Amino acid sequence: STQSTWEVASLVGELMLEWPGTAYNTLSRNCNHFTAHFATRLAAHLQVPEWVNRAARVGDKVVPQPVLQYVTDKWFPPVVMGEPNVEGEVKEPRSDCSQEGVKERYN
């Protein structure tokens, strides 16, 4: 990418708001979807190969949504900031992801 460290950090801050962990969906909004979105936001010419999310696309067509939701909730419960996770650890919100916060961190 031709973007500066600050520009990439700012983009990551924006994506943290657009892609919260609570919106994760194994088949329709997973890490591969995020990577493809991040790559195109980083540089429009970057494309993740179509085959990367092939299994998710197929699964999204054949797995009933209630079954997927049950499995996701059971195996991948969302982490709520400030509350203990299954291991009893408390996740604290990250520091300021605004442009000012990113500038302060990377300047």
Side-chain angles (χ1 to χ4, degrees):
S1 172
T2 58
Q3 297 181 13
S4 69
T5 301
W6 178 85
E7 290 170 320
V8 172
S10 181
L11 173 58
V12 169
E14 290 175 28
L15 293 177
M16 286 174 65
L17 299 174
E18 292 175 31
W19 291 78
T22 54
Y24 183 86
N25 182 293
T26 307
L27 300 178
S28 63
R29 195 172 172 87
N30 63 38
C31 56
N32 294 327
H33 293 103
F34 172 82
T35 302
H37 185 76
F38 181 48
T40 55
R41 291 278 304 270
L42 202 55
H45 69 279
L46 293 176
Q47 298 292 318
V48 172
E50 284 292 316
W51 59 264
V52 170
N53 243 350
R54 185 178 303 139
R57 279 193 307 279
V58 170
D60 202 25
K61 289 179 175 38
V62 298
V63 176
Q65 212 43 241
V67 172
L68 176 64
Q69 193 62 52
Y70 173 80
V71 170
T72 301
D73 290 347
K74 186 87 170 156
W75 291 348
F76 308 106
V79 174
V80 178
M81 295 299 168
E83 293 184 13
N85 62 16
V86 291
E87 288 87 25
E89 303 167 329
V90 175
K91 298 287 185 180
E92 295 300 327
R94 296 185 186 225
S95 60
D96 185 11
C97 291
S98 66
Q99 285 191 349
E100 291 75 27
V102 171
K103 281 181 185 177
E104 183 178 308
R105 209 171 317 129
Y106 289 99
N107 282 336

